[in-house]
Amino acid sequence: MATIMDGKALAAEIDKTTTVRIQRLADQGIVPGLVVILVGDDPASKIYVRNKERRAKKMKINSIVRNLPDTISEADLIKIIQTYNENPTIHAILVQLPLPAHINEFNVTNAIAPEKDADGFHPTNIGKLVINHTEKTPIACTPQGIMSIFNAYHIDLDGKKAVVVGRSTIVGKPMAALLVNANATVTVAHSHTHNLSQLTREADILVVAVGIAKYIKEADVKSDAVVIDVGMDRDVNGKLVGDVDFAEVERKASYITPVPKGVGPMTITTLISQTVALAEWSSEKNG
Amino acid sequence: MATIMDGKALAAEIDKTTTVRIQRLADQGIVPGLVVILVGDDPASKIYVRNKERRAKKMKINSIVRNLPDTISEADLIKIIQTYNENPTIHAILVQLPLPAHINEFNVTNAIAPEKDADGFHPTNIGKLVINHTEKTPIACTPQGIMSIFNAYHIDLDGKKAVVVGRSTIVGKPMAALLVNANATVTVAHSHTHNLSQLTREADILVVAVGIAKYIKEADVKSDAVVIDVGMDRDVNGKLVGDVDFAEVERKASYITPVPKGVGPMTITTLISQTVALAEWSSEKNG
């Protein structure tokens, strides 16, 4: 049976350290400021935004949720982002994705000042991550949270075969870059991949972000693999499950993240921690 | 026996198209301007710079080689780059790597205006490539030249297993990004990879950039693989050879690039073509 990697407990541990850092900033008269921009009222996005806000409030950072109608133009959205770019009380800006079809995600992501990029999706920050220049560089929160899980459970990545299933800007691509930087041999698989099961069966480290409930079965996993499940899916009964069939794969893996209480809590914890880091970096620059 | 992919002939073909584009710019009174900055006198770098200059002159673009002493400070080098950033007759800036140890390559690459980035090494351009926003984005010339080879020989990449050996910013990382964007299943291998031969033997598409003469042997290659050799090495007799043992692997591969006259000429052709593209994009923006 696999060791279940407890993302919720680890998140609580990291939050403690973050609280100390927030206090240290408070002593300098700085309150980290995070603005979350929500365009339209996609139900899933609303839940994500509410969870982020709840945690931000609990951690006592200054959190603003800016709700905008889905009729807003790209130009007007970018103008609003620019006001936050210039606002010294805001250290981190997050635009909840997806955006309505008439708004270009690249243009919006690109409009966020790289030094206020809470999600690490700005091309400059992605480029810095890829070339392993990660000092004072915000990095996508989900893969960064997964790296914290590897670290907490002393998972050796060096020279290991890692397979990342999914190639989104949000998870797959930054995850692959982080694993390459950690000296893993990394394969990026995706919807066009042939013989996926054969590939995943060779993985010492398997990260799954496909958005299909219980997609990865016992037969798709190597014995004693480390399995990270990024999925947040609903099964036929409406129950929250991951992309990995936990009950099956738990028997074969050496380590596995559950859903819920695995990657999910670590993503929000990393967002808060990164917001604090952006405030720290800004104060170092100005101080 | 493999089809030998003739990079020299393909480069000549592409140069013809580039010549037409240069003429079209000339009709608008624009001469593409490329400045190549060489710090110190590393013999290999001097050869590369001379080859680039020779081709630029032949293609009738305005090419300037700026030789700087290896004692120059990072700050002074960056100041010089900034003068070219502001110079409207210069459309493309290339700093020959490697730089002397006292100069930080990241800081120098980052100082080049992204819209004048001849080599595509600026973090913003690397980030755009990784997120597949490649319109009007300069891309590293060697992997981009390799994509042109795939295209010219109608190599189907979609769903294919591609293995890139090497993870440099110059070749391996942008190559992997281009292959992922082309829907290949991509593995990045490097010095920490275990069982490299087992991995390369599974590759439908194998790109080798390790800098070790004749490193890849027949036993390391799958039957009918497409093999791209980025190496420019010297064998024991001082002869120019690649990272792939050509005589052996040619028997097993379906397609292979030779050394010389494979990837090498395509890199310079792509540099010239990209310089012209940067001039075109600049004129569209200003025109």
Side-chain angles (χ1 to χ4, degrees), chain A residues 129-134 176-184, chain B residues 167 173:
Chain A
L129 167 60
V130 167
I131 63 182
N132 203 6
H133 183 92
T134 53
L178 284 163
L179 287 165
V180 169
N181 292 347
N183 295 326
Chain B
R167 56 172 164 172
K173 287 175 175 181

Side-chain angles (χ1 to χ4, degrees), chain A residues 124 130 158 173 184 187 190 192, chain B residues 124 130 158 173 184 187 190 192:
Chain A
T124 302
V130 167
D158 197 304
K173 286 174 174 180
T187 301
H190 45 76
H192 289 245
Chain B
T124 301
V130 167
D158 198 303
K173 287 175 175 181
T187 301
H190 45 77
H192 290 244

Side-chain angles (χ1 to χ4, degrees), chain A residues 37 39 66 68-83 85 99-100 102-105 107-109 111-112:
Chain A
I37 298 175
V39 180
R66 182 79 183 260
L68 296 169
D70 62 7
T71 52
I72 193 169
S73 70
E74 182 180 308
D76 284 346
L77 174 57
I78 288 175
K79 261 183 228 154
I80 288 169
I81 291 169
Q82 283 162 345
T83 63
N85 284 344
L99 290 167
H102 69 279
I103 299 179
N104 180 303
E105 280 186 11
N107 294 343
V108 170
T109 305
I112 298 170

Side-chain angles (χ1 to χ4, degrees), chain B residues 5 204 206 208 216 221 225-229 244 249 253 255-257:
Chain B
M5 299 197 278
D204 302 312
L206 179 61
V208 188
I216 297 291
V221 174
V226 176
V227 179
I228 303 287
D229 188 349
V244 174
V249 173
Y255 291 85
I256 188 168
T257 58

Side-chain angles (χ1 to χ4, degrees), chain A residues 131, chain B residues 33-35 81 84-85 90-95 97 105 108-129 136-141 144 169 270-271 273-279 281:
Chain A
I131 63 182
Chain B
L34 168 69
V35 59
I81 291 170
Y84 292 116
N85 285 344
I90 295 299
H91 304 96
I93 303 166
L94 183 161
V95 178
L97 302 179
E105 280 186 10
V108 170
T109 305
N110 200 37
I112 297 171
E115 66 277 13
K116 295 193 176 188
D117 179 20
D119 263 335
F121 298 160
H122 190 284
T124 301
N125 291 325
I126 291 176
K128 284 182 176 177
L129 167 61
K136 300 191 182 178
T137 301
I139 296 169
C141 297
Q144 205 187 335
T169 304
T270 305
L271 171 67
S273 156
Q274 184 145 277
T275 296
V276 174
L278 291 168
W281 300 337

Side-chain angles (χ1 to χ4, degrees), chain A residues 4-68:
Chain A
I4 297 170
M5 299 197 277
D6 188 337
K8 197 180 171 193
L10 178 58
E13 278 304 308
I14 292 175
D15 285 350
K16 277 188 211 165
T17 315
T18 305
T19 298
V20 173
R21 290 162 59 204
I22 292 169
Q23 188 53 54
R24 212 177 291 145
L25 284 170
D27 295 345
Q28 301 169 50
I30 298 163
V31 181
L34 168 68
V35 60
V36 177
I37 298 175
L38 175 61
V39 180
D41 47 14
D42 176 68
S45 291
K46 278 167 92 167
I47 293 171
Y48 290 134
V49 166
R50 198 182 58 207
N51 289 343
K52 287 167 186 171
E53 197 192 9
R54 191 179 292 161
R55 192 80 79 81
K57 293 259 181 277
K58 191 180 151 202
M59 298 292 289
K60 294 183 181 141
I61 73 173
N62 174 26
S63 153
I64 297 165
V65 175
R66 182 79 183 260
N67 288 287
L68 296 169

Side-chain angles (χ1 to χ4, degrees), chain A residues 201-273:
Chain A
R201 272 202 304 275
E202 291 171 3
D204 302 311
I205 313 286
L206 179 60
V207 180
V208 188
V210 293
I212 303 170
K214 298 185 180 181
Y215 185 67
I216 296 292
K217 305 287 184 186
E218 189 176 358
D220 304 321
V221 174
K222 185 179 175 177
S223 286
D224 294 329
V226 176
V227 180
I228 303 287
D229 187 349
V230 184
M232 295 274 268
D233 315 306
R234 297 281 164 185
D235 71 6
V236 285
N237 305 313
K239 193 187 150 202
L240 181 67
V241 297
D243 293 347
V244 175
D245 191 324
F246 184 84
E248 279 195 11
V249 174
E250 189 201 0
R251 294 196 293 261
K252 200 170 183 184
S254 63
Y255 290 86
I256 189 168
T257 59
V259 176
K261 300 187 183 174
V263 171
M266 285 301 294
T267 296
I268 299 192
T269 276
T270 305
L271 171 66
I272 303 296
S273 155

